[in-house]
């Protein structure tokens, strides 16, 4: 579709009403509020190619490019969808459309994260949560939990 932010005329997200209730913050002003905004998540993902920790900062919430794209995102409650499902429809400036059906969100029981995805998420989140810890140490301890003499070793690795 030669998808660039400038070409996106509208992004329509259909989701279960509970999802919209939980993540329906239309105009977040902080990174924390953005985590509760399907509008921000969609705009960031389209614009930046991902929606990780760096895409949910106060600075990113105020980014003019994100704001512009976020204004073209529409979320619609659809009770026929599962609580962990969504249908995303993107309309471009020439009326070309594309649609993606996501029957199960990543991390749901039906679509669990892979080991690599879990490790990458910890690597991304750990520096902000644990200033002095090493994510790789925690990962190695977690994967060897059943062989540890003392499970508290894992807990201690997360304490600065």
């Amino acid at each position: 579709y030669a998808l660039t932010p400038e070409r996106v005329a509208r992004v329509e997200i259909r989701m279960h009403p509970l999802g919209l209730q939980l993540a329906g913050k239309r105009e977040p002003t902080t990174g924390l509020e953005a985590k509760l905004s399907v509008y921000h998540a969609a705009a960031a993902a389209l614009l930046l190619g991902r929606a990780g920790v760096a895409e949910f900062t106060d600075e990113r919430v105020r980014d003019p490019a994100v704001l512009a794209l976020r204004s073209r995102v529409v979320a619609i409650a659809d009770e026929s969808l599962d609580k962990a499902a969504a249908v995303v429809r993107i309309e471009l400036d020439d009326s070309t459309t594309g649609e993606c059906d996501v029957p199960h969100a990543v991390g749901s029981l039906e679509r669990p994260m892979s080991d690599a995805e879990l490790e990458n998420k910890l690597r991304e989140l750990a520096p902000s949560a644990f200033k002095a810890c090493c994510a790789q140490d925690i990962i190695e301890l977690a994967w060897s939990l059943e062989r540890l003499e003392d499970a508290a070793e894992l807990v201690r690795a997360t304490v600065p």
Side-chain angles (χ1 to χ4, degrees):
Y1 295 104
L3 188 63
T4 60
E6 304 79 34
R7 294 208 51 219
V8 175
R10 175 182 164 98
V11 178
E12 179 182 290
I13 304 167
R14 288 191 355 240
M15 57 195 299
H16 190 275
L18 179 60
L20 194 53
Q21 181 182 350
L22 296 172
K25 184 74 174 171
R26 182 76 186 107
E27 295 181 14
T29 58
T30 67
L32 180 58
E33 288 180 351
K35 292 176 183 178
L36 304 171
S37 174
V38 66
Y39 305 94
H40 179 83
L46 279 170
L47 183 67
L48 306 163
R50 53 173 282 135
V53 172
E55 289 71 41
F56 292 88
T57 62
D58 292 353
E59 179 181 57
R60 187 62 71 194
V61 167
R62 294 185 295 269
D63 180 332
V66 173
L67 286 167
L69 190 51
R70 193 168 69 208
S71 71
R72 298 190 297 269
V73 176
V74 176
I76 300 169
D78 184 340
E79 288 201 25
S80 72
L81 294 173
D82 183 80
K83 291 177 183 159
V87 177
V88 180
R89 184 174 181 274
I90 299 174
E91 182 179 334
L92 301 181
D93 57 1
D94 64 358
S95 298
T96 302
T97 61
E99 187 169 291
C100 179
D101 182 9
V102 182
H104 306 289
V106 172
S108 64
L109 290 175
E110 297 83 358
R111 191 174 164 201
M113 295 174 77
S114 69
D115 291 353
E117 288 171 322
L118 287 168
E119 289 179 7
N120 288 336
K121 186 168 185 172
L122 179 63
R123 283 188 190 95
E124 192 174 11
L125 291 170
S128 63
F130 310 107
K131 300 294 184 214
C133 85
C134 176
Q136 190 57 40
D137 292 344
I138 294 171
I139 290 167
E140 289 173 12
L141 286 167
W143 290 133
S144 63
L145 188 60
E146 70 278 356
R147 294 186 302 277
L148 295 178
E149 286 190 31
D150 180 6
E153 188 177 343
L154 174 59
V155 175
R156 285 190 295 273
T158 65
V159 178

